[in-house]
Amino acid sequence: MEKCIACGMPMEKPADHALGDVTKNYCRHCAKENGEMQSFEEKRSNLIDFVTRTQGLDDKAAVGVVETMMKELPAWRDQLWNN
Ligand SMILES: [Zn+2]
């Protein structure tokens, strides 16, 4: 099964892909309104918000969780390793 390169979510049906376009390798949660993939900074801050909200972590802990998660994802791996 195909997984989103930017968040790892399995994309089971066309509607899971950005704009419902199965040629896109990222999901609708990782797309901006115009259908482009969110930037590293946008996705990072969205994920930090999400983790803070859903897991009740403080900002610093959330950053650690998110960066660990993003290192495993094809869309961001190179950016994190280059820093
Ligand atoms: Zn995604």
Side-chain angles (χ1 to χ4, degrees):
M1 187 193 310
E2 205 175 349
K3 283 187 182 174
C4 172
I5 61 163
C7 73
M9 186 186 94
M11 298 189 290
E12 297 174 352
K13 41 188 193 300
D16 292 334
H17 292 252
L19 302 178
D21 178 351
V22 296
T23 66
K24 299 216 186 297
N25 54 8
Y26 50 94
C27 77
R28 61 201 166 87
H29 303 292
C30 296
K32 298 191 270 199
E33 281 179 21
N34 66 4
E36 285 176 19
M37 195 173 81
Q38 293 174 8
S39 70
F40 174 74
E41 279 305 327
E42 286 169 322
K43 192 66 202 170
R44 183 174 176 277
S45 69
N46 288 345
L47 283 171
I48 290 169
D49 281 354
F50 178 76
V51 167
T52 309
R53 244 184 311 120
T54 58
Q55 299 186 27
L57 299 174
D58 63 31
D59 284 358
K60 197 162 167 244
V63 168
V65 168
V66 165
E67 293 197 341
T68 302
M69 190 192 301
M70 290 177 92
K71 270 185 193 159
E72 302 299 320
L73 296 163
W76 319 118
R77 219 159 21 200
D78 294 345
Q79 304 198 41
L80 279 164
W81 282 344
N82 288 338
N83 287 334

